[in-house]
Amino acid sequence: VTMETAEGAQSPIATTQPITDELTVDGIEAEFKRVQDHISQFLVDETQQQFVEDLWDFEKGKGGGRSRLWEAPESSDLLKTEEPRNIPVLEKAGVNYSGIEGPSMPTSALAGIKLPENTPYRATGVSLVFHPQSPHIPTVHMNIRFFQCGETWWFGGGIDLTPYSAHERPVQSMIVNFHRGLRGVCERAAMDYEQHKQVCDKYFVIQHRAEARGVGGIFCDHLNSDTTAGKTKRQLFDFVCDLGMTLPDLYRPFIHYGKNKLVTPEQREFQLVRRGRYVEFNLVYDRGTKFGLQSGGRTASILMSLPPKANWPYDYVPPEGSPQWVLTSFCQHPIDWANIDDVTTLITTTQQ
């Protein structure tokens, strides 16, 4: 992995003005590339799997992106081995960077922001999703983004966790620590963690099933000086970059815990069922997917977030008291994970 060093762009030197470190879109793009590099290196180090990089150009404007894809060979099958450590951790993963410029902002990105029609825009961001092979390791999604439309600008971002098994106390403790880590990111930036968690809980809901995609995280959009009580562009930029750079520390414990555990057919089947729910949300409700498709973005990169395999058994209901029932229960209402002091207060399986 090639690591790049990004420096904020500086304004031209003038004899009558001091040198300033103005935060430009070019500077934001450079730092977002560094976030992509940081996370890519983490995945390579932790999984020993190499990625394929695809450089692409934005055909309906200027700019383009770097899509990085990890895929396990079709021959790898956790159900056919007694040595999970020999199976690649990632079944499919993508860490994408994009920086594009177009003549008119797609309506899916505005969501209440009033702009004149045909306002030119620049948009840049990093988006990722990890789909591990083992149901003992959760899927994670994250994105950070920036938009500039004329004089109007805003940041956005978020991260959420989709486990496939959450009845074991160590996993419940890791979910608690995941949320506490996100609270720490917010506290470092003097951002309201509770507000961003609540937005996440409301956003990542599969409305036609009345359940969440997973166990939540944080989500925020349209962050600018007006919506954040006067925070500067630099402060909000630092916040979303910190979120991206913190992701490896938040996710690493799940890999270490789950990568060597044996997998049963029932666990794999439930993983595919929950992946089906993941597909439903992404294709029906996700604003990022809609923006990418409406803006004429690269379809292969946009749909990289979808899992390689999923399943939709008819009218599936997990048996009460089963590990699958526990996970489903956690997805049926928001939980204040960061403030849970004793995970033994959470439900667990009644089956042996």
Side-chain angles (χ1 to χ4, degrees):
V1 180
T2 301
M3 304 299 290
E4 298 180 2
T5 301
E7 297 179 354
Q10 293 184 335
S11 59
I13 297 175
T15 56
T16 57
Q17 296 290 336
I19 297 175
T20 61
D21 185 16
E22 181 184 354
L23 186 61
T24 66
V25 180
D26 289 341
I28 295 170
E29 288 182 339
E31 187 65 15
F32 280 5
K33 287 181 179 179
R34 196 170 77 87
V35 171
Q36 184 197 32
D37 286 335
H38 176 69
I39 296 170
S40 298
Q41 188 67 60
F42 156 72
L43 274 189
V44 171
D45 291 344
E46 286 294 330
T47 70
Q48 301 303 303
Q49 293 173 252
Q50 300 298 318
F51 61 80
V52 175
E53 182 173 88
D54 185 14
L55 304 178
W56 55 273
D57 295 322
F58 183 47
E59 296 181 354
K60 294 190 175 182
K62 299 178 182 178
R66 307 189 304 194
S67 297
R68 292 174 175 171
L69 177 67
W70 288 255
E71 285 186 303
E74 283 289 334
S75 59
S76 63
D77 189 341
L78 274 171
L79 296 179
K80 297 180 180 179
T81 181
E82 295 183 358
E83 290 293 337
R85 64 178 58 86
N86 297 329
I87 298 295
V89 171
L90 300 171
E91 190 167 0
K92 180 184 177 185
V95 182
N96 298 336
Y97 159 82
S98 64
I100 63 174
E101 183 176 350
S104 180
M105 173 67 79
T107 56
S108 59
L110 297 178
I113 293 181
K114 295 182 179 180
L115 291 173
E117 290 188 12
N118 301 319
T119 299
Y121 71 93
R122 289 185 69 175
T124 183
V126 176
S127 62
L128 64 84
V129 64
F130 305 160
H131 290 295
Q133 293 211 76
S134 174
H136 299 297
I137 307 174
T139 286
V140 68
H141 153 266
M142 189 208 77
N143 72 77
I144 56 174
R145 56 193 178 274
F146 174 77
F147 292 92
Q148 178 86 48
C149 304
E151 296 300 315
T152 302
W153 58 268
W154 68 92
F155 288 93
I159 180 172
D160 70 296
L161 194 70
T162 304
Y164 305 103
S165 174
H167 63 285
E168 297 176 321
R169 296 307 188 196
V171 175
Q172 294 173 352
S173 294
M174 284 187 282
I175 295 173
V176 169
N177 290 334
F178 175 85
H179 284 270
R180 288 177 177 173
L182 293 177
R183 184 172 62 187
V185 172
C186 292
E187 289 174 346
R188 288 195 290 274
M191 300 291 284
D192 189 338
Y193 164 75
E194 296 296 338
Q195 176 187 351
H196 297 320
K197 180 193 181 301
Q198 290 173 13
V199 172
C200 182
D201 288 337
K202 292 179 181 179
Y203 178 73
F204 288 106
V205 171
I206 308 167
Q207 297 174 20
H208 57 276
R209 295 191 182 274
E211 66 183 36
R213 187 169 78 173
V215 295
I218 60 173
F219 184 81
C220 49
D221 204 0
H222 305 134
L223 300 178
N224 57 32
S225 297
D226 294 332
T227 62
T228 59
K231 282 190 167 50
T232 66
K233 183 185 290 188
R234 171 70 65 178
Q235 289 172 321
L236 296 171
F237 166 71
D238 289 342
F239 168 59
V240 298
C241 287
D242 188 22
L243 177 62
M245 299 298 273
T246 303
L247 172 93
D249 291 335
L250 299 175
Y251 192 66
R252 184 180 291 108
F254 294 100
I255 295 179
H256 289 183
Y257 180 80
K259 65 181 180 180
N260 293 329
K261 292 175 71 72
L262 293 173
V263 175
T264 67
E266 293 78 16
Q267 291 167 340
R268 174 62 169 173
E269 178 59 29
F270 184 65
Q271 179 191 43
L272 298 182
V273 171
R274 293 306 305 180
R275 281 182 176 181
R277 305 289 201 267
Y278 201 93
V279 171
E280 291 172 25
F281 179 87
N282 278 31
L283 295 183
V284 178
Y285 303 110
D286 188 72
R287 291 206 301 263
T289 301
K290 292 179 180 179
F291 169 77
L293 296 176
Q294 289 180 6
S295 66
R298 192 165 184 275
T299 303
S301 298
I302 298 163
L303 298 182
M304 187 185 290
S305 65
L306 300 181
K309 297 177 183 177
N311 201 1
W312 285 265
Y314 182 75
D315 199 23
Y316 173 82
V317 178
E320 185 171 350
S322 67
Q324 295 79 16
W325 173 82
V326 172
L327 190 281
T328 303
S329 298
F330 288 157
C331 295
Q332 290 176 340
H333 57 87
I335 296 175
D336 188 9
W337 291 98
N339 289 314
I340 293 176
D341 294 323
D342 182 2
V343 295
T344 62
T345 61
L346 296 168
I347 61 173
T348 186
T349 179
T350 58
Q351 298 181 355
Q352 296 300 320

